[in-house]
PDB file of all heavy atoms in Angstrom:
ATOM      1  N   LEU B 236      49.019  69.066 -40.759  1.00  0.00           N
ATOM      2  CA  LEU B 236      48.093  70.212 -40.607  1.00  0.00           C
ATOM      3  C   LEU B 236      47.794  70.624 -42.109  1.00  0.00           C
ATOM      4  O   LEU B 236      46.603  70.910 -42.435  1.00  0.00           O
ATOM      5  CB  LEU B 236      48.703  71.400 -39.867  1.00  0.00           C
ATOM      6  CG  LEU B 236      47.977  72.602 -39.865  1.00  0.00           C
ATOM      7  CD1 LEU B 236      46.582  72.443 -39.094  1.00  0.00           C
ATOM      8  CD2 LEU B 236      48.624  73.729 -39.224  1.00  0.00           C
ATOM      9  N   LYS B 249      42.991  74.335 -36.653  1.00  0.00           N
ATOM     10  CA  LYS B 249      43.460  75.628 -36.963  1.00  0.00           C
ATOM     11  C   LYS B 249      44.916  75.748 -37.070  1.00  0.00           C
ATOM     12  O   LYS B 249      45.697  74.948 -36.405  1.00  0.00           O
ATOM     13  CB  LYS B 249      42.824  76.567 -35.815  1.00  0.00           C
ATOM     14  CG  LYS B 249      41.404  76.574 -35.721  1.00  0.00           C
ATOM     15  CD  LYS B 249      40.791  77.093 -36.936  1.00  0.00           C
ATOM     16  CE  LYS B 249      39.256  77.069 -36.840  1.00  0.00           C
ATOM     17  NZ  LYS B 249      38.555  76.848 -38.176  1.00  0.00           N
ATOM     18  N   ARG B 250      45.325  76.681 -37.798  1.00  0.00           N
ATOM     19  CA  ARG B 250      46.738  76.990 -37.971  1.00  0.00           C
ATOM     20  C   ARG B 250      46.974  78.352 -37.136  1.00  0.00           C
ATOM     21  O   ARG B 250      46.499  79.388 -37.676  1.00  0.00           O
ATOM     22  CB  ARG B 250      47.187  77.089 -39.307  1.00  0.00           C
ATOM     23  CG  ARG B 250      48.632  77.340 -39.397  1.00  0.00           C
ATOM     24  CD  ARG B 250      49.025  78.075 -40.722  1.00  0.00           C
ATOM     25  NE  ARG B 250      48.776  77.297 -41.968  1.00  0.00           N
ATOM     26  CZ  ARG B 250      49.773  76.714 -42.644  1.00  0.00           C
ATOM     27  NH1 ARG B 250      50.998  76.716 -42.265  1.00  0.00           N
ATOM     28  NH2 ARG B 250      49.294  75.989 -43.724  1.00  0.00           N
ATOM     29  N   GLY B 251      47.636  78.225 -36.032  1.00  0.00           N
ATOM     30  CA  GLY B 251      47.910  79.520 -35.271  1.00  0.00           C
ATOM     31  C   GLY B 251      49.369  79.957 -35.515  1.00  0.00           C
ATOM     32  O   GLY B 251      49.753  80.586 -36.464  1.00  0.00           O
ATOM     33  N   CYS B 252      50.183  79.386 -34.602  1.00  0.00           N
ATOM     34  CA  CYS B 252      51.567  79.779 -34.695  1.00  0.00           C
ATOM     35  C   CYS B 252      52.446  78.977 -35.623  1.00  0.00           C
ATOM     36  O   CYS B 252      53.377  79.449 -36.130  1.00  0.00           O
ATOM     37  CB  CYS B 252      52.234  79.618 -33.121  1.00  0.00           C
ATOM     38  SG  CYS B 252      52.237  77.869 -32.766  1.00  0.00           S
ATOM     39  N   ASP B 253      51.961  77.706 -35.812  1.00  0.00           N
ATOM     40  CA  ASP B 253      52.651  76.853 -36.656  1.00  0.00           C
ATOM     41  C   ASP B 253      54.025  76.305 -36.260  1.00  0.00           C
ATOM     42  O   ASP B 253      54.829  75.556 -36.926  1.00  0.00           O
ATOM     43  CB  ASP B 253      52.942  77.520 -38.154  1.00  0.00           C
ATOM     44  CG  ASP B 253      52.699  76.549 -39.225  1.00  0.00           C
ATOM     45  OD1 ASP B 253      52.146  75.392 -39.099  1.00  0.00           O
ATOM     46  OD2 ASP B 253      52.915  76.801 -40.415  1.00  0.00           O
ATOM     47  N   VAL B 254      54.402  76.661 -35.001  1.00  0.00           N
ATOM     48  CA  VAL B 254      55.667  76.099 -34.327  1.00  0.00           C
ATOM     49  C   VAL B 254      55.398  75.436 -33.018  1.00  0.00           C
ATOM     50  O   VAL B 254      56.474  75.484 -32.323  1.00  0.00           O
ATOM     51  CB  VAL B 254      56.734  77.181 -34.437  1.00  0.00           C
ATOM     52  CG1 VAL B 254      57.192  77.557 -35.814  1.00  0.00           C
ATOM     53  CG2 VAL B 254      56.336  78.491 -33.617  1.00  0.00           C
ATOM     54  N   GLY B 255      54.278  74.997 -32.692  1.00  0.00           N
ATOM     55  CA  GLY B 255      54.211  74.250 -31.534  1.00  0.00           C
ATOM     56  C   GLY B 255      53.756  75.155 -30.159  1.00  0.00           C
ATOM     57  O   GLY B 255      53.595  74.462 -29.189  1.00  0.00           O
ATOM     58  N   ASP B 256      53.576  76.387 -30.240  1.00  0.00           N
ATOM     59  CA  ASP B 256      53.401  77.205 -29.095  1.00  0.00           C
ATOM     60  C   ASP B 256      51.978  77.375 -28.625  1.00  0.00           C
ATOM     61  O   ASP B 256      51.741  77.451 -27.563  1.00  0.00           O
ATOM     62  CB  ASP B 256      53.966  78.569 -29.281  1.00  0.00           C
ATOM     63  CG  ASP B 256      55.517  78.714 -29.370  1.00  0.00           C
ATOM     64  OD1 ASP B 256      56.028  77.895 -28.547  1.00  0.00           O
ATOM     65  OD2 ASP B 256      55.992  79.358 -30.100  1.00  0.00           O
ATOM     66  N   CYS B 257      51.059  77.284 -29.703  1.00  0.00           N
ATOM     67  CA  CYS B 257      49.676  77.681 -29.385  1.00  0.00           C
ATOM     68  C   CYS B 257      48.574  76.513 -29.133  1.00  0.00           C
ATOM     69  O   CYS B 257      47.581  76.666 -28.476  1.00  0.00           O
ATOM     70  CB  CYS B 257      49.030  78.598 -30.443  1.00  0.00           C
ATOM     71  SG  CYS B 257      48.627  77.714 -31.987  1.00  0.00           S
ATOM     72  N   GLY B 258      48.959  75.368 -29.762  1.00  0.00           N
ATOM     73  CA  GLY B 258      48.061  74.188 -29.516  1.00  0.00           C
ATOM     74  C   GLY B 258      46.844  74.052 -30.442  1.00  0.00           C
ATOM     75  O   GLY B 258      46.159  73.139 -30.398  1.00  0.00           O
ATOM     76  N   CYS B 259      46.592  75.147 -31.272  1.00  0.00           N
ATOM     77  CA  CYS B 259      45.359  75.113 -31.860  1.00  0.00           C
ATOM     78  C   CYS B 259      45.153  74.203 -33.111  1.00  0.00           C
ATOM     79  O   CYS B 259      44.073  73.945 -33.547  1.00  0.00           O
ATOM     80  CB  CYS B 259      45.170  76.578 -32.635  1.00  0.00           C
ATOM     81  SG  CYS B 259      44.816  77.774 -31.364  1.00  0.00           S
ATOM     82  N   CYS B 260      46.247  73.423 -33.342  1.00  0.00           N
ATOM     83  CA  CYS B 260      46.317  72.612 -34.464  1.00  0.00           C
ATOM     84  C   CYS B 260      46.092  71.168 -33.958  1.00  0.00           C
ATOM     85  O   CYS B 260      46.344  70.205 -34.751  1.00  0.00           O
ATOM     86  CB  CYS B 260      47.514  72.665 -35.327  1.00  0.00           C
ATOM     87  SG  CYS B 260      48.943  72.366 -34.306  1.00  0.00           S
ATOM     88  N   LEU B 270      50.366  67.894 -31.926  1.00  0.00           N
ATOM     89  CA  LEU B 270      50.246  69.109 -32.725  1.00  0.00           C
ATOM     90  C   LEU B 270      50.428  68.708 -34.261  1.00  0.00           C
ATOM     91  O   LEU B 270      51.520  68.312 -34.615  1.00  0.00           O
ATOM     92  CB  LEU B 270      51.231  70.058 -32.198  1.00  0.00           C
ATOM     93  CG  LEU B 270      50.961  70.429 -30.666  1.00  0.00           C
ATOM     94  CD1 LEU B 270      52.216  71.372 -30.292  1.00  0.00           C
ATOM     95  CD2 LEU B 270      49.789  71.059 -30.454  1.00  0.00           C
ATOM     96  N   SER B 271      49.431  68.938 -35.116  1.00  0.00           N
ATOM     97  CA  SER B 271      49.552  68.607 -36.452  1.00  0.00           C
ATOM     98  C   SER B 271      50.515  69.486 -37.135  1.00  0.00           C
ATOM     99  O   SER B 271      50.973  69.106 -38.224  1.00  0.00           O
ATOM    100  CB  SER B 271      48.134  68.630 -37.173  1.00  0.00           C
ATOM    101  OG  SER B 271      47.611  69.817 -37.059  1.00  0.00           O
ATOM    102  N   CYS B 272      50.862  70.664 -36.655  1.00  0.00           N
ATOM    103  CA  CYS B 272      51.841  71.499 -37.421  1.00  0.00           C
ATOM    104  C   CYS B 272      53.236  71.058 -37.227  1.00  0.00           C
ATOM    105  O   CYS B 272      54.173  71.507 -37.921  1.00  0.00           O
ATOM    106  CB  CYS B 272      51.689  73.003 -36.831  1.00  0.00           C
ATOM    107  SG  CYS B 272      52.323  73.210 -35.188  1.00  0.00           S
ATOM    108  N   LEU B 273      53.421  70.081 -36.236  1.00  0.00           N
ATOM    109  CA  LEU B 273      54.800  69.641 -36.037  1.00  0.00           C
ATOM    110  C   LEU B 273      54.939  68.219 -36.455  1.00  0.00           C
ATOM    111  O   LEU B 273      55.945  67.660 -36.333  1.00  0.00           O
ATOM    112  CB  LEU B 273      55.083  69.748 -34.479  1.00  0.00           C
ATOM    113  CG  LEU B 273      55.059  70.927 -33.725  1.00  0.00           C
ATOM    114  CD1 LEU B 273      55.677  70.839 -32.346  1.00  0.00           C
ATOM    115  CD2 LEU B 273      55.995  71.971 -34.457  1.00  0.00           C
TER     116      LEU B 273
HETATM  117  S1  FES C 601      49.550  76.003 -34.936  1.00  0.00           S
HETATM  118 FE1  FES C 601      50.373  74.087 -34.126  1.00  0.00          FE
HETATM  119  S2  FES C 601      50.861  74.684 -32.081  1.00  0.00           S
HETATM  120 FE2  FES C 601      50.261  76.585 -32.965  1.00  0.00          FE
END
Side-chain angles (χ1 to χ4, degrees):
Chain B
L236 175 65
K249 300 303 175 207
R250 185 204 295 256
C252 65
D253 220 11
V254 288
D256 289 322
C257 75
C259 292
C260 62
L270 301 179
S271 60
C272 74
L273 298 188

